[in-house]
Amino acid sequence: MERPIIDEHTRVLVMTGAGISAESGLATFRGAGGLWAGQPVERVATPEGFAADPALVWRFYSQRRAQAAAAVPNRAHRALAALEDRLGDRFLLATQNVDGLHQRAGSRRVVEMHGSLWRTRCAVCPAPPFDDRTPVEPPLPRCTRCGGLLRPAIVWFGELLDAADMRRIERFIVGSSPGRAPLVFLAVGTSGNVWPAAGYVGMARSVGAVTWLVNLEAAENVGAFDHFVQGPAGEVLARLLGVDDAV
Ligand code: OAD
């Protein structure tokens, strides 16, 4: 099987989505059985949905907290943590996932583009988000600073991604401009439907990256990749990255 060339100069930017946690038993978003099937996205993943029915939104994210807490990282998460051990600062993992499984597998250089299930913030004032693992039930919790309702620290549709997160990803890509260290861009378990995540493959290509997609099915943006390896992330990544971890 063809593999990405990762030598002592190569920098690797990984972009993961819900598919990488599927083998840990967590549902993806799109398609049959996905989190968005039978669940209108705008009711649970927009500021307007939260304003209309905060208890429903908290019920949804409390269930996801419980499911993610019960899940364990799989072979794919571990393969990426092992790669980071080898590459150090030549590695960056941008994830759209909010489940925290990458960190539990040992990944440290992680950008959580869409926020985290494990943080809560005020829906009204800029009080900093705080760590929170508890399921939330009515009466809904309120901000100690301004009295506004608290909400999950997830980036919902219609909201901006954290500018510092985007800069960190872009700086990593630009740090690999032509003439500098070669860049491998590897997307795993993502349908390529959501921007800006789906666009980083294009930015990486513009600086000469070799681009790989590992996914169960062809993603929306599959045409933007040099290589597409179809299959379950755990098995494929262990082979592609040469990680000997059969569990
Ligand atoms: P999706 O549900 O859109 O796509 C998951 C992809 O993973 C699909 O293309 C599947 O084919 C693939 N897949 C499933 N099981 C797999 C496995 N075992 N190995 C490899 N691939 C597998 O999820 P995302 O692309 O992550 O945003 O969705 C992006 C964003 O849309 C999410 O972060 C979320 C959602 O709305 C927010 O909630 C803000």
Side-chain angles (χ1 to χ4, degrees), residues 93-116:
L93 172 52
T95 186
Q96 299 164 83
N97 298 346
V98 295
D99 56 32
L101 290 181
H102 283 302
Q103 291 89 334
R104 283 172 56 199
S107 291
R108 291 291 165 261
R109 294 162 180 86
V110 182
V111 179
E112 290 181 305
M113 301 175 64
H114 292 169
S116 171

Side-chain angles (χ1 to χ4, degrees), residues 162-175:
D162 186 273
D165 283 350
M166 294 179 71
R167 267 199 309 276
R168 190 170 168 202
I169 298 169
E170 285 158 21
R171 267 207 296 265
F172 190 88
I173 294 174
V174 171

Side-chain angles (χ1 to χ4, degrees), residues 25 31 136 140 152 162 169 175 200:
V136 170
L140 299 180
D162 186 273
I169 298 169
Y200 283 118

Side-chain angles (χ1 to χ4, degrees), residues 99-241:
D99 56 32
L101 290 181
H102 283 302
Q103 291 89 334
R104 283 172 56 199
S107 291
R108 291 291 165 261
R109 294 162 180 86
V110 182
V111 179
E112 290 181 305
M113 301 175 64
H114 292 169
S116 171
L117 274 179
W118 309 115
R119 283 194 299 276
T120 293
R121 69 173 177 86
C122 182
V124 179
C125 83
F130 59 91
D131 292 346
D132 185 12
R133 305 189 68 81
T134 51
V136 170
E137 290 171 0
L140 299 180
R142 290 187 172 268
C143 176
T144 51
R145 195 195 277 187
C146 78
L149 279 177
L150 294 176
R151 56 163 276 184
I154 304 280
V155 181
W156 285 330
F157 288 98
E159 297 186 315
L160 292 176
L161 270 63
D162 186 273
D165 283 350
M166 294 179 71
R167 267 199 309 276
R168 190 170 168 202
I169 298 169
E170 285 158 21
R171 267 207 296 265
F172 190 88
I173 294 174
V174 171
S176 308
S177 305
R180 299 212 182 148
L183 178 67
V184 169
F185 179 88
L186 170 63
V188 185
T190 176
S191 61
N193 272 290
V194 172
W195 291 70
Y200 283 118
V201 59
M203 193 183 295
R205 279 183 77 125
S206 73
V207 300
V210 180
T211 56
W212 291 74
L213 171 68
V214 172
N215 213 47
L216 213 48
E217 49 200 15
E220 278 295 305
N221 58 350
V222 64
F225 289 85
D226 301 308
H227 305 270
F228 170 39
V229 187
Q230 189 161 11
E235 181 193 315
V236 174
L237 280 191
R239 269 187 293 144
L240 271 190
L241 301 176

